[in-house]
Amino acid sequence: MAGLVLKNLSKTYEIDNKKITALKNVDLTVSPGSFVTIVGKSGCGKSTLLKILCDLEKNFSGTIEYTHIEKNKSPKIAIVFQEPRLMPWLTVEQNMAFSLQNHKDKAYVKQIVSEHLNLLGLYDFRKAYPSQISGGMAQRTALGRTLCYDPEIILMDEPLSALDYFNRQKLQNELVNIFLKTGKTILFVTHDVEEAIYLGQKIVVMDNGLLTKVVDIHMDYLRDTSSTQFLNLKKYILNIFNNISKEEKNEFL
């Protein structure tokens, strides 16, 4: 699996002749085969960072270096968005196979799709259309489409935020199981501190385009959200945001 190193990454937008800083001097190292969660308030630059990494944003400064890959080659990178973005005229299995549409070996495609239908508990719904399945199933289908592509780095932009509590909890556990089985490098954006702790091996705290803190998590999967260790870590992360808010407030006093 590939890793990446960001150095001095910055991004500025111009809106109504005003410059808006989305990212400022971000330095971050992501080890290959690690699960990193990026947590912050809306508008702090989390999604912009992912868009740069998957080449949806072109104009930025700083450098991105990919590690553990062949020289002069770029890793396969895929992104899972907040909404599933499935094609309504295709079935679940056809949507998942779409990422392999250019593959000539149809038997291979069928095998890969079947494996991921089983992995995500969707095999019995493989002939269903997006309008016939739940939101949780639709998001699993989108994740399956990404996994069939077999990327080395998976970017996730708040993919569970639109789900109800029960589906969200179920998919969180499925994500952990997939990570443990595949060893993919995952960068997962969320505004939910508890979700960030539950999923990540490392939490990146962002605010106003700045990377303010990186916290390593030393807890085994699956994690008990009611344990003292989990609650203490949640309190610690929330205190980081509280201190940021106090500093911002003092700037205007």
Side-chain angles (χ1 to χ4, degrees):
M1 291 299 111
L4 57 91
V5 179
L6 311 181
K7 294 181 181 178
N8 207 29
L9 202 67
S10 299
K11 170 68 180 179
T12 301
Y13 294 99
E14 189 166 318
I15 302 174
D16 291 334
N17 296 319
K18 293 182 180 179
K19 289 187 176 181
I20 308 296
T21 300
L23 294 173
K24 186 176 181 181
N25 303 329
V26 171
D27 293 324
L28 177 65
T29 298
V30 176
S31 301
S34 63
F35 199 136
V36 175
T37 51
I38 304 172
V39 65
K41 302 173 186 176
S42 295
C44 73
K46 307 185 302 295
S47 295
T48 299
L49 178 58
L50 292 196
K51 287 177 181 177
I52 289 174
L53 294 178
C54 66
D55 211 26
L56 292 176
E57 286 285 356
K58 305 286 187 181
N59 299 316
F60 62 90
S61 61
T63 61
I64 303 171
E65 176 188 346
Y66 295 103
T67 62
H68 295 79
I69 59 172
E70 291 184 38
K71 191 175 181 180
N72 299 322
K73 283 195 174 183
S74 298
K76 290 173 70 176
I77 299 175
I79 186 167
V80 180
F81 293 100
Q82 183 174 346
E83 59 284 339
R85 300 191 182 187
L86 302 179
M87 285 161 281
W89 59 88
L90 299 181
T91 63
V92 166
E93 65 180 352
Q94 288 170 338
N95 267 286
M96 287 176 63
F98 189 78
S99 61
L100 297 170
Q101 61 179 319
N102 295 324
H103 204 288
K104 295 179 180 180
D105 188 342
K106 301 305 177 185
Y108 170 82
V109 172
K110 185 176 181 180
Q111 176 190 339
I112 293 299
V113 171
S114 180
E115 287 176 2
H116 287 93
L117 284 167
N118 283 311
L119 179 66
L120 292 163
L122 290 168
Y123 191 81
D124 291 341
F125 300 90
R126 64 192 183 280
K127 300 297 183 183
Y129 290 91
S131 62
Q132 299 173 314
I133 58 177
S134 68
M137 288 181 181
Q139 199 61 286
R140 273 186 276 166
T141 303
L143 178 57
R145 179 177 57 196
T146 296
L147 291 172
C148 285
Y149 177 63
D150 195 26
E152 293 163 277
I153 298 175
I154 300 177
L155 311 175
M156 297 188 171
D157 192 2
E158 301 193 50
L160 310 183
S161 61
L163 301 180
D164 62 71
Y165 172 81
F166 302 101
N167 273 316
R168 187 169 186 163
Q169 191 175 50
K170 184 177 180 180
L171 271 178
Q172 285 173 349
N173 288 334
E174 287 183 2
L175 273 177
V176 170
N177 288 329
I178 288 167
F179 168 68
L180 294 175
K181 286 179 181 178
T182 65
K184 301 287 186 185
T185 303
I186 299 176
L187 274 75
F188 185 103
V189 157
T190 182
H191 58 263
D192 186 320
V193 172
E194 187 168 298
E195 182 171 70
I197 298 170
Y198 190 77
L199 294 175
Q201 296 174 321
K202 177 185 290 187
I203 296 178
V204 176
V205 179
M206 290 190 67
D207 183 71
N208 286 335
L210 295 169
L211 192 161
T212 59
K213 193 79 173 179
V214 176
V215 181
D216 291 316
I217 302 177
H218 303 288
M219 282 190 283
D220 294 332
Y221 294 118
L222 296 167
R223 293 167 181 166
D224 181 359
T225 58
S226 63
S227 71
T228 300
Q229 187 180 8
F230 192 101
L231 293 174
N232 284 342
L233 184 54
K234 182 179 178 180
K235 183 178 179 181
Y236 175 73
I237 299 295
L238 289 173
N239 281 337
I240 293 173
F241 284 108
N242 289 335
N243 289 333
I244 290 171
S245 297
K246 289 176 183 177
E247 290 172 5
E248 290 174 348
K249 185 176 179 181
N250 289 337
E251 287 181 9
F252 296 96
L253 294 178

